[in-house]
Amino acid sequence: MATERPSRLRVFSLNCWGIRFFSQLCTQRYEMIGELLCQEQHDIALLQEVWSERDFLFLKRKLSSSHPYTHYFKSGVIGSGLAVFSRHRIQDALLYQYSLNGYPYMLRHGDWFGGKAVGLVIVDVSGLKAHVYVTHLHAEYSRAQDEYLSHRTVQSWELLQFVRHTSCGADLVVLGGDLNMHPQDLGNRLLRSHTGLRDCYTETDTFDGCEDGHTLIADNHFTKKQDLVPFEKGIRIDYILMKGSQRVTMKCESLSTTKGPVADKPFPYSDHEALTAEFALLHSEDSRQRGSSDTLAVSEQMEVVAEARALVKEGLCQTEALRDKAMHLMFGALLLLLLPLAMAFLPCSCSCSFSTLGLLGAVCMVLLLSGALLYLLFTTHIKVLKETEDQMMLTSNDLQTKLTGCQLSGSSSLDGSPEIQPLSPFKREE
Amino acid sequence: MATERPSRLRVFSLNCWGIRFFSQLCTQRYEMIGELLCQEQHDIALLQEVWSERDFLFLKRKLSSSHPYTHYFKSGVIGSGLAVFSRHRIQDALLYQYSLNGYPYMLRHGDWFGGKAVGLVIVDVSGLKAHVYVTHLHAEYSRAQDEYLSHRTVQSWELLQFVRHTSCGADLVVLGGDLNMHPQDLGNRLLRSHTGLRDCYTETDTFDGCEDGHTLIADNHFTKKQDLVPFEKGIRIDYILMKGSQRVTMKCESLSTTKGPVADKPFPYSDHEALTAEFALLHSEDSRQRGSSDTLAVSEQMEVVAEARALVKEGLCQTEALRDKAMHLMFGALLLLLLPLAMAFLPCSCSCSFSTLGLLGAVCMVLLLSGALLYLLFTTHIKVLKETEDQMMLTSNDLQTKLTGCQLSGSSSLDGSPEIQPLSPFKREE
């Protein structure tokens, strides 16, 4: 039963904070990030917030020897900001842009323009098929009054659905990125419980990094201290998650984070800390380590989905209220539009010049157009929220069926992925 | 080697032409469609252009006994129009909205508002896991000057990528819908060659329907004859495609279409003809029927991808030109905006009232806003086209590697799905 020394895989993840003309010392930091990646020779580097294609191309040139395989995911107005650099051959790539991602009129936040998404690259790691996901979810600007909570929850749902349904043939699965969620936030629990992905921070044998694995810390030169309140010590919002397969067991042997200041450098790599995970890849001894905990897992999945469904419903009510407001704006503008028309034809209009009426009309038209655009926007959001709720309901029903043992197979799935049923109507060959 | 009588699966697909207040005799036709589905008891019915949720709910009520499982896919402003009715339990659903789908300002065509997408339902067919896809691609309004060709090609690419990456664990795969493409159109060849899906029309043992399998025919009461020019006999744009798996062989035993007029009814079901396919599901005798044709298949895949890449590049140039025009509009509006400002401060402005200037300013603002919105729109389109081209390039490279036998495995994939590599760095257990 001897096996060779296990293969290893080193994965790096960093939110690069690469907003040109806004993020501080961008050029110098990309130089540092490039040097780090060249030197450390991680197998796969997952980068977020590489907003400028010029910066991506700089890294691509710099890493052409160490990481010859790369993919830069393009979506939205600015881009998704997601980039993968790999020492192993990238066979295929696929992008799923999240259906909800903030509002275009929230220029101050700007997430909408980023086209947030999850990117998948299929990497041939010495003969193993690795499905590697990189993602970046909508930012949380206020924990107390988080107006994007339902959007982030829908994104978490779409992320887990995408991972569940595209990771089926993989030997190993890695997901890295900035989830913009604390470890026990609903979206995070949803993702872990329904995909079977495990958090490297809780799974690792050894950890070397910031206290509690924080990736936003007060010690970082670029961090605005007010963004951390009330978590003065720091927040963990960047993750590397992983799962093996029936063929391969993934073991996280070590996880490390940067700790703000960088030795011999005047400033950190980014306003986020970078993560590095080292995995041992072993032959799966027991390809289906399932047992009595299955029922427990299904119950947990059901609870989390129920919680998420309630939140999506709440988001739906809020969005319906917003759509109503947009409709009121439209009607208001239409009524206002009648005013210059009436004035133009009524005798009292003599005191108003044609131009005044025109100006008033133009203002009404702008208001009407804005109302119509907002109405369209919120209508699409409502469609997405309803679709998500329907999908959650299907999943709930499916889990319920599993739990009550009504299925023909009578078995339940630990990782939440749809179970392969026996060929009951077929008689096996004799 | 005796096997039991094979299981059967009957699948129905119809574009219902359900545009409320526009499509003729909508209510009556939905009544007829409901009756047909109740009576025929297909296992799965895939409907497109069910634009109104009210009509979907009508069908849901009508089919509650015959087809108790259903999913209505919601996206875009109006919806995706996609609905599935099933006699077998739907376990899960997933939606992928196409990234390119026409232009919002093309109100006359209106596809943009429909949020065209591909929907996947995972259906438990007597213990077999069936991945059933329903889709509707952007319409072709002019074959000679098809301004949406690149959009439809990108949709075909996204469709095939979605099917490839989400059908891995399926026992059987069925795709039905209105592809808005002729059988030998690029997008259709792309889809078939890269997913391994086979066209029921060419595969069926027996066929009963319109000549050459047409689904848009001159004999149909609702068809506008000018839409068929120069294909007076008809066009085949609706399809049912299928593939089996290593466990199950799918055999299309019969395919039929409606033929325009319906017996005892005053008009047809829709302006499209409906398709019904009957499949025999058999145990796969040879799970990997691959051989010398592999190289041929890979060559074909490469050729089709190269053709598609060229078309996407062309689309990219056209969209860049459109973006330039939007930018010119913005600059023009900005310059025009300077005019009232200059007039307000120059001595010659005495002859213009404040209101005239305001009106001019308002017009400029509307032009500026329109230009900005169009600029954003075309920028997102460029991102999508570039992403698609990059993905196609990755696939080309991967196929090239397969073809030249540089891969460790030395094998090639017949259906284009990424090949599972041997665990070369691992020593097998002894």
Side-chain angles (χ1 to χ4, degrees):
Chain A
M1 295 288 285
T3 56
E4 240 178 280
R5 196 175 63 83
S7 289
R8 281 194 155 57
L9 185 76
R10 284 179 76 224
V11 178
F12 174 89
S13 177
L14 172 65
N15 178 324
C16 296
W17 192 42
I19 315 167
R20 277 202 165 234
F21 314 118
F22 175 81
S23 305
Q24 293 167 50
L25 303 160
C26 225
T27 314
Q28 294 92 325
R29 287 190 296 104
Y30 271 116
E31 189 74 52
M32 282 166 63
I33 292 167
E35 272 172 32
L36 177 75
L37 293 176
C38 266
Q39 186 187 315
E40 288 289 326
Q41 304 257 329
H42 309 93
D43 291 281
I44 297 164
L46 306 172
L47 305 182
Q48 304 96 52
E49 288 209 17
V50 185
W51 295 120
S52 159
E53 191 156 355
R54 228 168 108 182
D55 292 326
F56 166 75
L57 292 172
F58 162 77
L59 286 177
K60 191 178 170 181
R61 272 193 306 276
K62 188 150 182 107
L63 304 176
S64 58
S65 310
S66 61
H67 296 81
Y69 304 101
T70 176
H71 192 80
Y72 185 51
F73 290 100
K74 297 166 191 78
S75 74
V77 179
I78 303 168
S80 69
L82 305 172
V84 178
F85 290 91
S86 170
R87 293 178 59 204
H88 308 275
R89 194 164 68 85
I90 296 176
Q91 293 180 318
D92 204 349
L94 183 60
L95 184 70
Y96 186 100
Q97 193 179 339
Y98 297 124
S99 310
L100 281 191
N101 186 36
Y103 310 100
Y105 55 79
M106 294 298 271
L107 295 173
R108 195 164 49 97
H109 293 163
D111 292 60
W112 186 86
F113 294 89
K116 299 276 175 80
V118 47
L120 158 65
V121 287
I122 296 178
V123 184
D124 177 354
V125 179
S126 315
L128 292 174
K129 195 160 90 162
H131 283 214
V132 181
Y133 299 85
V134 57
T135 193
H136 185 192
L137 268 56
H138 197 293
E140 182 188 77
Y141 295 98
S142 159
R143 195 151 179 90
Q145 284 195 311
D146 184 4
E147 55 196 316
Y148 302 111
L149 183 58
S150 60
H151 287 215
R152 211 178 304 103
T153 308
V154 169
Q155 292 185 344
S156 304
W157 178 259
E158 292 185 338
L159 173 60
L160 81 86
Q161 284 281 70
F162 185 74
V163 172
R164 273 214 298 177
H165 291 288
T166 58
S167 62
C168 163
D171 292 316
L172 47 114
V173 180
V174 175
L175 187 155
D178 175 1
L179 300 184
N180 272 313
M181 296 186 287
H182 295 222
Q184 285 311 311
D185 281 0
L186 173 62
N188 234 329
R189 284 181 286 131
L190 202 60
L191 175 65
R192 288 197 307 265
S193 66
H194 282 261
T195 56
L197 285 167
R198 287 170 296 137
D199 185 351
C200 285
Y201 177 70
T202 56
E203 296 281 327
T204 185
D205 289 344
T206 61
F207 175 72
D208 174 27
C210 302
E211 194 184 340
D212 295 328
H214 295 152
T215 57
L216 278 187
I217 56 169
D219 269 357
N220 188 303
H221 175 82
F222 299 120
T223 310
K224 288 182 205 137
K225 305 302 166 272
Q226 69 266 30
D227 286 352
L228 292 177
V229 176
F231 305 96
E232 281 78 12
K233 283 186 175 176
I235 312 174
R236 186 156 78 93
I237 58 171
D238 299 86
Y239 299 83
I240 296 178
L241 307 172
M242 50 107 185
K243 76 171 176 181
S245 64
Q246 290 184 24
R247 297 174 76 212
V248 178
T249 298
M250 276 187 96
K251 198 170 175 308
C252 185
E253 296 202 324
S254 74
L255 180 73
S256 63
T257 74
T258 51
K259 297 168 190 172
V262 179
D264 306 327
K265 301 281 178 188
F267 39 78
Y269 296 107
S270 169
D271 63 345
H272 285 239
E273 300 309 315
L275 292 167
T276 304
E278 184 159 345
F279 301 104
L281 310 177
L282 307 138
H283 266 296
S284 281
E285 302 226 337
D286 179 8
S287 63
R288 292 205 148 206
Q289 294 148 346
R290 293 173 179 183
S292 58
S293 64
D294 289 13
T295 316
L296 195 69
V298 173
S299 309
E300 190 196 321
Q301 285 173 359
M302 284 185 72
E303 274 170 31
V304 184
V305 172
E307 203 178 324
R309 245 184 105 185
L311 200 144
V312 168
K313 271 184 187 167
E314 206 177 299
L316 191 59
C317 291
Q318 287 161 358
T319 314
E320 279 168 345
L322 286 171
R323 187 176 61 174
D324 288 348
K325 280 186 187 164
M327 202 156 65
H328 294 156
L329 178 64
M330 272 200 294
F331 279 121
L334 264 177
L335 282 177
L336 217 62
L337 199 60
L338 292 178
L339 194 69
L341 286 175
M343 286 166 78
F345 292 103
L346 288 178
C348 66
S349 67
C350 50
S351 62
C352 296
S353 70
F354 173 75
S355 298
T356 314
L357 299 178
L359 175 63
L360 195 57
V363 170
C364 294
M365 285 302 292
V366 170
L367 285 177
L368 187 66
L369 189 70
S370 307
L373 288 175
L374 287 173
Y375 185 84
L376 290 184
L377 178 77
F378 296 129
T379 303
T380 62
H381 285 197
I382 286 168
K383 285 269 187 290
V384 173
L385 287 158
K386 282 186 175 173
E387 175 63 30
T388 306
E389 205 211 322
D390 284 356
Q391 288 184 17
M392 286 175 172
M393 191 175 62
L394 270 178
T395 299
S396 284
N397 293 347
D398 193 45
L399 289 169
Q400 185 62 53
T401 312
K402 279 179 184 158
L403 200 63
T404 52
C406 285
Q407 270 190 322
L408 285 169
S409 71
S411 73
S412 58
S413 167
L414 189 66
D415 64 0
S417 58
E419 189 82 2
I420 295 176
Q421 305 299 320
L423 288 161
S424 56
F426 290 172
K427 194 174 166 185
R428 301 274 172 196
E429 288 180 2
E430 284 161 358
Chain B
M1 294 287 285
T3 56
E4 241 178 277
R5 195 174 63 83
S7 290
R8 283 196 152 57
L9 185 75
R10 284 179 75 226
V11 177
F12 175 89
S13 177
L14 173 65
N15 178 325
C16 296
W17 191 42
I19 314 168
R20 277 202 165 236
F21 315 116
F22 175 80
S23 305
Q24 293 168 50
L25 302 160
C26 225
T27 314
Q28 295 91 325
R29 289 190 293 106
Y30 271 115
E31 191 72 53
M32 283 166 61
I33 293 167
E35 273 171 33
L36 176 75
L37 293 177
C38 266
Q39 187 185 314
E40 288 289 326
Q41 302 258 328
H42 309 93
D43 291 281
I44 297 163
L46 306 172
L47 306 182
Q48 305 95 51
E49 287 208 18
V50 186
W51 295 121
S52 158
E53 190 156 357
R54 226 166 110 181
D55 292 326
F56 165 75
L57 292 172
F58 162 77
L59 286 177
K60 190 178 171 181
R61 273 193 305 276
K62 190 151 181 104
L63 305 176
S64 57
S65 310
S66 62
H67 297 81
Y69 304 99
T70 177
H71 193 81
Y72 185 51
F73 290 99
K74 297 165 191 80
S75 72
V77 180
I78 303 167
S80 69
L82 305 172
V84 178
F85 289 91
S86 170
R87 293 177 60 204
H88 308 275
R89 193 164 69 84
I90 296 176
Q91 294 180 317
D92 204 350
L94 182 61
L95 184 70
Y96 185 100
Q97 191 178 340
Y98 297 125
S99 311
L100 281 190
N101 187 35
Y103 311 99
Y105 55 81
M106 292 299 271
L107 295 172
R108 196 164 50 95
H109 293 162
D111 292 59
W112 186 86
F113 294 88
K116 299 277 175 79
V118 48
L120 158 64
V121 286
I122 297 178
V123 183
D124 177 354
V125 179
S126 313
L128 292 174
K129 195 160 91 164
H131 282 214
V132 181
Y133 300 85
V134 57
T135 192
H136 185 193
L137 269 56
H138 197 293
E140 182 188 77
Y141 295 98
S142 160
R143 194 151 179 89
Q145 284 194 311
D146 184 3
E147 55 196 315
Y148 302 111
L149 183 58
S150 60
H151 286 215
R152 211 178 304 101
T153 307
V154 168
Q155 291 185 346
S156 304
W157 178 258
E158 292 185 338
L159 173 60
L160 82 85
Q161 284 280 69
F162 185 72
V163 172
R164 272 213 300 175
H165 291 288
T166 57
S167 62
C168 162
D171 291 317
L172 46 113
V173 180
V174 175
L175 187 154
D178 175 1
L179 300 184
N180 271 314
M181 297 187 288
H182 294 222
Q184 287 311 311
D185 281 359
L186 173 62
N188 235 328
R189 285 182 283 132
L190 202 60
L191 176 65
R192 289 197 306 268
S193 66
H194 282 262
T195 57
L197 285 167
R198 287 169 299 136
D199 184 352
C200 284
Y201 177 71
T202 57
E203 297 281 326
T204 184
D205 289 344
T206 62
F207 175 73
D208 173 27
C210 302
E211 194 184 339
D212 295 329
H214 295 154
T215 57
L216 278 188
I217 57 169
D219 268 358
N220 188 303
H221 176 83
F222 299 121
T223 310
K224 288 182 205 137
K225 306 301 167 273
Q226 68 266 30
D227 287 351
L228 291 178
V229 175
F231 306 96
E232 282 78 12
K233 283 186 174 175
I235 312 173
R236 186 157 78 92
I237 57 172
D238 299 87
Y239 300 83
I240 296 178
L241 308 171
M242 51 109 185
K243 75 171 177 182
S245 64
Q246 291 184 24
R247 297 174 75 212
V248 178
T249 298
M250 276 187 96
K251 198 169 174 305
C252 184
E253 296 201 323
S254 75
L255 180 74
S256 64
T257 74
T258 51
K259 297 168 189 172
V262 180
D264 305 326
K265 301 283 178 187
F267 38 78
Y269 296 107
S270 169
D271 62 346
H272 286 238
E273 300 309 316
L275 293 166
T276 303
E278 184 160 346
F279 302 104
L281 310 177
L282 307 138
H283 266 295
S284 282
E285 301 225 337
D286 179 9
S287 62
R288 293 206 147 204
Q289 292 147 347
R290 294 174 179 181
S292 58
S293 65
D294 290 12
T295 315
L296 195 68
V298 174
S299 310
E300 190 196 321
Q301 285 173 359
M302 284 185 72
E303 274 170 30
V304 184
V305 172
E307 205 179 322
R309 244 184 105 184
L311 201 145
V312 168
K313 271 184 187 167
E314 207 178 298
L316 191 59
C317 291
Q318 287 161 358
T319 314
E320 279 169 345
L322 286 172
R323 187 177 61 175
D324 288 349
K325 279 184 188 167
M327 203 156 65
H328 294 155
L329 178 63
M330 273 201 293
F331 279 121
L334 263 177
L335 283 176
L336 217 61
L337 199 60
L338 292 177
L339 194 69
L341 285 175
M343 285 166 79
F345 291 102
L346 287 177
C348 64
S349 67
C350 49
S351 61
C352 296
S353 71
F354 175 74
S355 298
T356 314
L357 298 179
L359 176 61
L360 195 58
V363 170
C364 294
M365 284 303 290
V366 170
L367 285 177
L368 187 65
L369 189 68
S370 307
L373 288 174
L374 287 172
Y375 185 84
L376 290 184
L377 178 77
F378 295 129
T379 303
T380 62
H381 284 197
I382 286 169
K383 286 270 187 290
V384 173
L385 287 159
K386 281 187 176 172
E387 175 63 30
T388 306
E389 206 213 320
D390 284 356
Q391 288 184 18
M392 286 174 170
M393 192 176 62
L394 270 178
T395 299
S396 284
N397 293 346
D398 193 45
L399 290 168
Q400 185 62 54
T401 312
K402 278 178 183 159
L403 201 63
T404 51
C406 285
Q407 270 189 320
L408 285 169
S409 71
S411 74
S412 58
S413 168
L414 189 67
D415 63 1
S417 57
E419 189 82 1
I420 296 174
Q421 306 296 321
L423 288 160
S424 56
F426 289 174
K427 194 174 168 185
R428 303 273 174 200
E429 287 181 1
E430 288 160 353

